[in-house]
Every structure is written in structure tokens, then in C-alpha cells.
Amino acid sequence: MKPAGLRAYFDAHPEIRVAIFAGKGGLGKTTSSSSLAYYMATEKKRKTLLFSTDPQASLSDIFEQNFFGRGVIEVIPNLYVVEIDADRRVAEYQASVKQKIREMYGLEELPREIEEYIDSSSAEPSMYESATYDAMAELVAAGEYDMYIFDMPPFGHGVRMVAMAEILSKWVEKITEARSQVAEYEQVAASLKGERAQEDAMMAELVDIRRRITTFTDLITNQTSTGFFMVLIPEQMAILDTDRALSMFSELGIQLSGLIVNQVYPPELIEQPNLSEFLRNRLEGQRPYLQEIARKFGDHVLSVVPMYTREPKGLEMIAQASADLMDCKVAI
């Protein structure tokens, strides 16, 4: 089988304005997301924001330019890149929480135990993920770009981000319901005393947290405007991980838009008479896994990207990878 390439998918789904690339680390998510962003910016002329949620600063690596924590940077016309500094974002969030507690309770300083508890929360993985998806939702909600492309962190984090949003949403919903009842009692009590009920700052904060979580969940699961892609390579572990990920994402209500098979040796190489033994072994080693991918995932495969003779870094190689991703030339 030879897939048509990602161009055919986007031609058939012009309403897609958010593309998310997920998958295990080191398989080519950053290359794929950068390639799509390059295509959208140069050929479609869409103002495109490429966003990395990977703490390894991989976009800086592939574009050979330091983006980390420096805000949105225009790389070429219509292509903007941002790599958030999640640690700094967590620190800013903690500072805002402390400030809100001081304002709510009229305190000049927080009790030491509460200060230490908030500071220690930065070690929680959920804080990093919360900061990351909050940034994703904020960017899309601002509506400044025609196309948003997200390079998700390695598979485990990506799944946990989505699962945590659902868990947090249910938890906040229950707390909000309880707080709403308390607010009603306080209002009745104030009326009986002939007083005016005060604005409930805690309730407003809970409602805001729930709004942000809902915005993120809607962004991820909206099949009309969001394309959700996974990247894998022809190796046993990658196939097993992809199979498991598809089941988990399905349980979370996320429908896969398609798969990208990366780092595939062009099969016609086998015909070359002077082919090295190393390359011949690599080609023959990939063959059963490519057959397994075709059998197991079938029509989900949208494109097959070849293995390059050098790392896909710099604009010239990104342009090459983009052409191969959008118009697939390799069969599996």
C-alpha cells in the first residue's frame, strides 16, 4: 500500500485549524509537526503557530534556533514558533495562587506551612502538565493564527494530560456544586440580617478553573476542527505502544485522524547492486514490521516518511521532510 500523504487529508478536511502530533519520544513527532507547519505557512499561506509542549526543547534543535522560553518567534513569513518554559509558567501560577489567598483572607503574609505546600507542588507532574495545556488552550482561544500545530510531549505525558483534564474537571465540578450550595445559604443568611451578600471569590476561582479545563478538553476532542495524529516507526515496541495508545485515546473520547510512519528505508534501495550489508539488513529488518503496520492499522496510515541520510535539521531539510510528508512517495 502507498498512502496519499497528508496533503490529501487536509484537502478533504479544510476546516481543521488545530493539528496535534502525539506518540512515543524519538519517533519523529517534532519532524512531522515542523513539516506540516512549513507546508501550511509556505504553500497554504496560512498564519501558522507551531507550539512545543516537549520539555526537551526539540523545536530549537530542529530549526537550529533557540526558542525556549522566548515567546513567539517568526521563523519565516507565516510560520511562528513557541516553546514554553513550563517551569517558569508553574512559578508564575504559584505566585498568583499565593496572591489570591492573601487577597481572599486579607493576609499580608501566608502561614509558613501553606507557603511551603504551594512551593512543593511544583514537583508534582500534574503542575507541569496543567501549565502546558493551559498554555495550549490560551493560544487557541486568542485566535491570532489560522493554524495551530502542537508537538505533544512523549506519549506517557500526552495521555496523562488528557486523562488528568477529565479527572480534574469532575473534581472541580463536585467542589463547585458544594460551594454553590454554601453560597446560597450565605445569601439567605445575609438577607435575613438585612445585609447584602458578598461576592464569592472562591466560587469565581473554581468557575474559572473549570472553564479552562473545559476549553482544553473541547480543543482536544473536537473532531471537526482538530486533527489528531500519531507517529510511529517500523519497530516492534513502537507498534505495540501505538496499539496501546489508540485504545487509551479511544477510551478518553479522542478519535485518531491518522498515523505517520517515519524513518522508513525506501524499498527500491534493495535493487542497488552495490548496497552495503548494513543497509540491506536494515531494509530486510523493517519489512515484517511494515507489513504488520499495514495489516494492523490499515487505512489509518496517511503518510510514510523515508529515512534520510542526515538528520532533518534546518530549513532545507524541513522543506524536504515536508514534501515527503504531504505527498507520500514510499509504499509499505
Side-chain angles (χ1 to χ4, degrees):
M1 61 173 288
K2 186 165 84 171
L6 227 55
R7 182 195 299 271
Y9 173 84
F10 281 96
D11 284 349
H13 300 84
E15 69 283 2
I16 295 288
R17 59 188 292 266
V18 178
I20 297 172
F21 286 86
K24 199 166 174 283
L27 305 188
K29 292 191 305 327
T30 304
T31 305
S32 298
S33 55
S34 301
S35 299
L36 177 62
Y38 185 88
Y39 165 79
M40 288 294 174
T42 58
E43 292 203 31
K44 290 293 184 181
K45 308 297 181 191
R46 296 175 75 176
K47 187 179 178 185
T48 301
L49 181 67
L50 175 59
F51 177 95
S52 175
T53 61
D54 190 335
Q56 300 301 319
S58 46
L59 289 180
S60 292
D61 190 36
I62 194 168
F63 280 95
E64 299 179 319
Q65 187 176 340
N66 183 19
F67 303 123
F68 187 70
R70 300 178 62 196
V72 177
I73 295 176
E74 186 176 14
V75 180
I76 56 175
N78 288 323
L79 176 52
Y80 299 80
V81 174
V82 60
E83 273 183 336
I84 67 159
D85 181 346
D87 290 335
R88 188 171 71 189
R89 199 174 175 93
V90 167
E92 290 170 352
Y93 178 69
Q94 287 173 324
S96 74
V97 169
K98 290 176 186 176
Q99 181 62 25
K100 282 175 183 172
I101 292 174
R102 282 193 290 267
E103 288 173 1
M104 276 184 198
Y105 297 100
L107 301 173
E108 290 189 5
E109 290 187 5
L110 290 183
R112 184 171 55 82
E113 294 81 4
I114 294 178
E115 183 105 19
E116 288 177 352
Y117 175 77
I118 294 172
D119 288 340
S120 67
S121 67
S122 63
E124 293 289 329
S126 59
M127 285 295 286
Y128 173 86
E129 288 151 2
S130 175
T132 302
Y133 73 65
D134 207 30
M136 290 172 67
E138 254 183 35
L139 285 167
V140 176
E144 296 178 11
Y145 300 87
D146 304 320
M147 185 79 198
Y148 298 85
I149 299 173
F150 295 105
D151 176 17
M152 293 276 277
F155 169 64
H157 294 285
V159 172
R160 200 164 55 202
M161 281 173 68
V162 179
M164 195 187 71
E166 188 176 357
I167 293 167
L168 274 177
S169 180
K170 289 177 179 173
W171 178 77
V172 171
E173 192 173 331
K174 286 187 179 299
I175 297 292
T176 306
E177 285 175 6
R179 185 65 200 174
S180 179
Q181 288 180 348
V182 170
E184 285 180 19
Y185 297 146
E186 289 176 346
Q187 194 169 22
V188 170
S191 298
L192 291 174
K193 292 178 185 175
E195 300 172 350
R196 186 176 177 181
Q198 294 184 347
E199 185 178 348
D200 191 335
M202 187 177 293
M203 185 70 179
E205 181 67 16
L206 285 168
V207 169
D208 187 51
I209 291 172
R210 188 173 59 182
R211 177 191 61 75
R212 286 152 58 189
I213 293 172
T214 303
T215 302
F216 170 74
T217 308
D218 290 347
L219 167 69
I220 294 283
T221 57
N222 189 329
Q223 295 174 42
T224 302
S225 60
T226 300
F228 196 89
F229 308 94
M230 287 196 68
V231 183
L232 77 162
I233 60 174
E235 290 183 4
Q236 189 63 51
M237 282 304 297
I239 294 171
L240 291 173
D241 281 341
T242 301
D243 208 13
R244 189 166 57 244
L246 292 182
S247 300
M248 294 174 74
F249 282 131
S250 179
E251 288 173 5
L252 294 169
I254 299 171
Q255 297 301 313
L256 181 74
S257 300
L259 289 170
I260 313 300
V261 186
N262 193 33
Q263 300 177 11
V264 176
Y265 288 95
E268 61 272 16
L269 283 179
I270 202 80
E271 305 298 331
Q272 292 187 4
N274 57 347
L275 187 67
S276 69
E277 186 178 349
F278 172 79
L279 273 178
R280 188 174 299 279
N281 289 337
R282 296 294 297 174
L283 274 159
E284 291 176 350
Q286 284 192 346
R287 189 175 299 165
Y289 296 126
L290 290 171
Q291 291 171 347
E292 186 176 352
I293 288 171
R295 184 178 66 253
K296 193 181 282 284
F297 304 122
D299 294 339
H300 284 308
V301 178
L302 295 179
S303 193
V304 179
V305 179
M307 173 70 86
Y308 298 108
T309 54
R310 63 186 174 98
E311 277 190 279
K313 287 184 176 181
L315 282 176
E316 185 182 345
M317 284 301 296
I318 292 171
Q320 176 63 57
S322 177
D324 292 329
L325 176 72
M326 304 312 294
D327 298 302
C328 178
K329 304 174 188 70
V330 182
I332 60 173

